[in-house]
Amino acid sequence: MSYGNLETLYRQVIMDHYKNPRNKGLKDGDDFYKIHLKNPTCGDDITIQVKIDNGMITDVYQDGTGCSISMSAASVMSETIKGKTVEEAFKILDNYLNMVKGEKFDAELEMGDAIVYQGVAQFPARFKCATIAWKALAQVMDEHNGNCTCDHEE
Amino acid sequence: MIKISDINKIREDFYLLKNSDLTYLDNAASSLKPQQVIDALNYYNEKLGVNVHRGVYKLSYEATDLYEKARQKVADFIHCKFKEVVFTRGASSALNLVASSYGMKYINEGDEIITSELEHHSSMLPWQHVAKVKKAKLIYVPLDAEHRITIENFKKVLTHKTKVVALTHASNVMGYITPIKEIIKLAHEVGAVVSVDGAQSVPHMKVDVKELDCDFISFSGHKMCGPTGIGVLYGKYKLLQSMDPVEFGGDMIDYVYLQDVTFKDAPYKFETGTPIIAGAIGIGAAIDYLNEIGFDFIESQESKLRIYALTQLKNIEGLQLFNPNTDTGIISFNIEGVHPHDVASAFDQENVAIRAGHHCAQPLMNCLKQVATVRASFYFYNTEKDIDNLVEAIKKAKEFFDLFK
């Protein structure tokens, strides 16, 4: 049976992260940056915790509720940026946002499983799902860099 | 009198139904607009396009005439007086007007306002605000096991302190019809006024405000074949007259002094500034259209579709049906293990338009213990084929997401 475009969005990797999320569950401790984002129109609710040592992202945790795209993206994001510097993470983030928007992006840039979200470009209604965790990351890194926008609600 | 066999002729009036393979089942959010309504809007925008009321020239006179004739059409449609029809931006705006005008003036500390967890946010939030500001109590009718408002439970919360009852006539998620006539009678016995959210009832059934004896009812144009941006607040004239305007400015005044002002009578004191002229003409044309179709047809078509849909949906394994006893063309469900937004994307691939989300009813989602549901909602132009397409889309979505189990 043909599922049309659906297969370009719901890739095996995405559904695997949805069913078996990585770095799921929040940790105690105040050495984490922590951001809680919600999309009140659809109910996505996500919290991410990031530890940054000397400009290096050393630990990431995520938790929340939402659709397969938003939840898997949080899992993928946590894996992709762990061990990266803030500067590298910003590069991946910008590239990812361009990719899911359907704009020009650098296909050579190493971004792990995040590359499978290319299909989102054909589902503009799901753009917010694919980006909510990444937007939380952007806020964490802004806060770390001292540029807190304090716009914690998506 | 329209016959069932005329359904194809009806569908010709709607561009998308005639020219695409769209299965449109999101009517509780907004209905499609027939050509007749679009023509009426175009006539005003193209041939008139001028302001109403104060213009002395011919074009302005005709625009005024059409605007006020639309008010009469609404009055005839719901069986009230011409001057009891206030045009608003929509049902939300109308519901808010009752709370911010009547509520703010007449609710005092310790008074009780009854609403329910079945409400659309636009029905309960304006009263939550009034209750907070006025230190009144917001009381929720306990819903029964299938999340209905019942007379029995309403009696449990009605007291001599009840000043306002704000309830939905038809639930936008569960499709239940509230026994509103009996509730109004009981509320009046303790001297409370009743504001009815008619957004999901007025488009689908004959609503006679005199027969219901409701004090206020609010509804939107765009859910009944009219344009967006127009709605109606009906209020008993005595009540409307006793209320203060909430917006001040053009067109609503009688005489302006430097330190004081007198207002026009209702409904005009609530229609500040240039009114929603095109919208009113549009809702007037929508009413003409619905009258031509007739509520006999609308109700029988929707009831036929409801029975047909429920029979099939009940037999789909892994489908959680939240309102198997719905009274209207609104059906809420989830596919087990699949988030409603993923379902909606899958349906979209089949060109089946439904709604996934909390439907502006978060308290009800908590009652149902769901973050969101999928909602399919019918109107008179839907057919059994649309239901078949829905069922096929459900089966296909299930099959697709099962691949990842």
Side-chain angles (χ1 to χ4, degrees):
Chain A
M1 189 185 272
S2 159
Y3 300 102
N5 256 343
L6 222 47
E7 281 153 325
T8 65
L9 177 64
Y10 294 99
R11 305 280 298 276
Q12 191 68 47
V13 176
I14 291 179
M15 296 310 278
D16 178 53
H17 275 274
Y18 178 49
K19 305 271 176 184
N20 310 294
R22 330 288 201 259
N23 305 309
K24 179 107 172 169
L26 302 179
K27 300 286 175 244
D28 289 331
D30 38 10
D31 47 351
F32 285 100
Y33 289 95
K34 188 172 165 186
I35 296 280
H36 176 213
L37 280 189
K38 284 192 290 188
N39 180 352
T41 55
C42 75
D44 284 350
D45 185 305
I46 197 158
T47 305
I48 72 163
Q49 271 183 319
V50 181
K51 196 185 273 184
I52 303 176
D53 285 331
N54 289 326
M56 172 80 81
I57 296 168
T58 56
D59 227 347
V60 188
Y61 295 99
Q62 50 89 15
D63 206 359
T65 53
C67 62
S68 61
I69 304 300
S70 65
M71 291 297 103
S72 64
S75 169
V76 167
M77 183 278 291
S78 72
E79 269 198 342
T80 309
I81 58 144
K82 207 192 250 185
K84 301 279 191 297
T85 65
V86 169
E87 202 182 332
E88 286 166 338
F90 261 123
K91 256 190 204 153
I92 295 172
L93 168 76
D94 287 342
N95 205 44
Y96 178 83
L97 292 179
N98 286 337
M99 178 184 80
V100 295
K101 261 187 255 175
E103 287 171 7
K104 233 177 108 185
F105 73 102
D106 179 3
E108 303 296 309
L109 185 71
E110 173 52 38
M111 49 198 282
D113 286 348
I115 193 78
V116 302
Y117 287 81
Q118 272 186 74
V120 173
Q122 289 171 54
F123 290 78
R126 306 304 295 278
F127 174 75
K128 283 193 168 181
C129 317
T131 56
I132 185 166
W134 290 88
K135 287 189 170 162
L137 172 70
Q139 289 190 14
V140 161
M141 296 194 298
D142 278 340
E143 202 172 311
H144 169 264
N145 289 350
N147 305 323
C148 179
T149 53
C150 295
D151 175 22
H152 288 184
E153 296 289 306
E154 172 58 26
Chain B
M1 186 66 183
I2 301 278
K3 294 189 298 291
I4 301 285
S5 55
D6 294 334
I7 186 78
N8 288 330
K9 200 174 141 278
I10 290 173
R11 288 173 71 88
E12 298 249 313
D13 294 332
F14 297 84
Y15 179 89
L16 284 168
L17 301 181
K18 188 180 166 190
N19 297 301
S20 76
D21 62 350
L22 172 69
T23 301
Y24 188 71
L25 298 175
D26 195 17
N27 292 286
S30 204
S31 69
L32 301 175
K33 288 84 179 136
Q35 194 55 46
Q36 289 85 335
V37 168
I38 293 159
D39 289 345
L41 291 169
N42 285 347
Y43 178 79
Y44 165 74
N45 283 318
E46 189 175 291
K47 305 280 170 25
L48 301 173
V50 300
N51 214 326
V52 293
H53 292 154
R54 291 167 305 277
V56 177
Y57 49 97
K58 286 189 282 301
L59 286 176
S60 180
Y61 180 81
E62 186 182 345
T64 308
D65 191 45
L66 288 177
Y67 179 69
E68 296 300 348
K69 271 186 178 145
R71 196 189 306 277
Q72 187 59 53
K73 286 176 188 179
V74 173
D76 295 340
F77 187 63
I78 58 171
H79 194 202
C80 69
K81 296 188 195 107
F82 175 86
K83 59 189 183 179
E84 291 174 322
V85 174
V86 182
F87 283 126
T88 67
R89 277 194 298 117
S92 293
S93 219
L95 291 160
N96 270 276
L97 179 55
V98 180
S100 52
S101 178
Y102 184 88
M104 284 301 188
K105 186 165 182 181
Y106 294 110
I107 294 291
N108 296 308
E109 191 170 341
D111 286 348
E112 293 179 358
I113 300 161
I114 295 178
T115 186
S116 86
E117 285 161 289
L118 205 55
E119 302 308 301
H120 188 283
H121 295 158
S122 294
S123 172
M124 50 84 67
L125 284 182
W127 294 104
Q128 188 189 74
H129 179 71
V130 170
K132 269 188 203 160
V133 173
K134 294 288 183 170
K135 298 194 175 81
K137 266 196 198 159
L138 192 61
I139 313 263
Y140 289 87
V141 185
L143 302 178
D144 78 354
E146 57 170 15
H147 305 101
R148 268 178 201 277
I149 300 168
T150 61
I151 307 269
E152 209 174 51
N153 284 348
F154 177 73
K155 281 182 184 162
K156 288 182 194 159
V157 290
L158 184 71
T159 73
H160 65 280
K161 288 185 185 166
T162 308
K163 291 291 179 299
V164 166
V165 176
L167 289 176
T168 185
H169 194 187
S171 157
N172 72 316
V173 182
M174 305 301 272
Y176 298 147
I177 308 276
T178 308
I180 201 73
K181 194 177 167 183
E182 295 87 334
I183 284 175
I184 291 166
K185 195 163 170 280
L186 291 166
H188 286 169
E189 281 169 16
V190 302
V193 304
V194 182
S195 171
V196 179
D197 175 0
Q200 301 293 348
S201 62
V202 172
H204 300 276
M205 64 184 84
K206 184 71 200 159
V207 172
D208 181 325
V209 297
K210 284 286 169 307
E211 196 221 327
L212 289 180
D213 197 27
C214 59
D215 301 289
F216 301 102
I217 194 166
S218 303
F219 54 97
S220 288
H222 71 94
K223 292 192 205 296
M224 48 184 273
C225 293
T228 54
I230 185 78
V232 170
L233 171 65
Y234 155 80
K236 283 181 180 164
Y237 196 64
K238 246 184 161 167
L239 291 172
L240 289 178
Q241 279 296 73
S242 78
M243 287 155 54
D244 299 329
V246 291
E247 285 185 344
F248 303 84
D251 218 18
M252 48 81 76
I253 55 92
D254 173 38
Y255 205 87
V256 175
Y257 310 91
L258 287 184
Q259 304 296 339
D260 208 356
V261 59
T262 54
F263 305 118
K264 278 184 182 162
D265 287 331
Y268 301 105
K269 68 177 169 182
F270 300 110
E271 295 179 0
T272 309
T274 292
I276 311 154
I277 307 166
I281 291 169
I283 201 177
I287 286 171
D288 287 343
Y289 186 78
L290 293 180
N291 283 337
E292 203 183 308
I293 303 284
F295 276 106
D296 286 345
F297 177 81
I298 293 171
E299 287 180 35
S300 72
Q301 180 72 358
E302 286 180 30
S303 142
K304 190 177 75 173
L305 293 173
R306 176 177 69 244
I307 295 162
Y308 185 72
L310 287 172
T311 312
Q312 299 200 57
L313 294 180
K314 277 176 187 164
N315 289 326
I316 300 177
E317 208 186 316
L319 189 108
Q320 262 178 302
L321 196 55
F322 297 110
N323 57 345
N325 297 316
T326 176
D327 303 318
T328 61
I330 292 175
I331 298 179
S332 279
F333 61 89
N334 271 335
I335 298 177
E336 269 167 31
V338 189
H339 191 281
H341 284 98
D342 295 323
V343 173
S345 280
F347 283 12
D348 188 38
Q349 292 305 301
E350 306 301 312
N351 225 356
V352 174
I354 48 81
R355 186 142 294 239
H358 55 59
H359 318 294
C360 295
Q362 285 179 359
L364 180 64
M365 292 298 117
N366 292 335
C367 294
L368 295 174
K369 299 185 176 61
Q370 302 292 318
V371 284
T373 71
V374 179
R375 178 185 72 185
S377 51
F378 319 136
Y379 211 3
F380 59 85
Y381 42 64
N382 286 122
T383 61
E384 275 108 335
K385 178 80 172 51
D386 290 330
I387 313 289
D388 292 343
N389 293 345
L390 171 69
V391 170
E392 272 314 298
I394 293 171
K395 288 183 176 162
K396 212 164 164 182
K398 263 176 61 68
E399 199 179 273
F400 178 74
F401 288 106
D402 275 353
L403 295 175
F404 302 104
K405 264 189 177 163

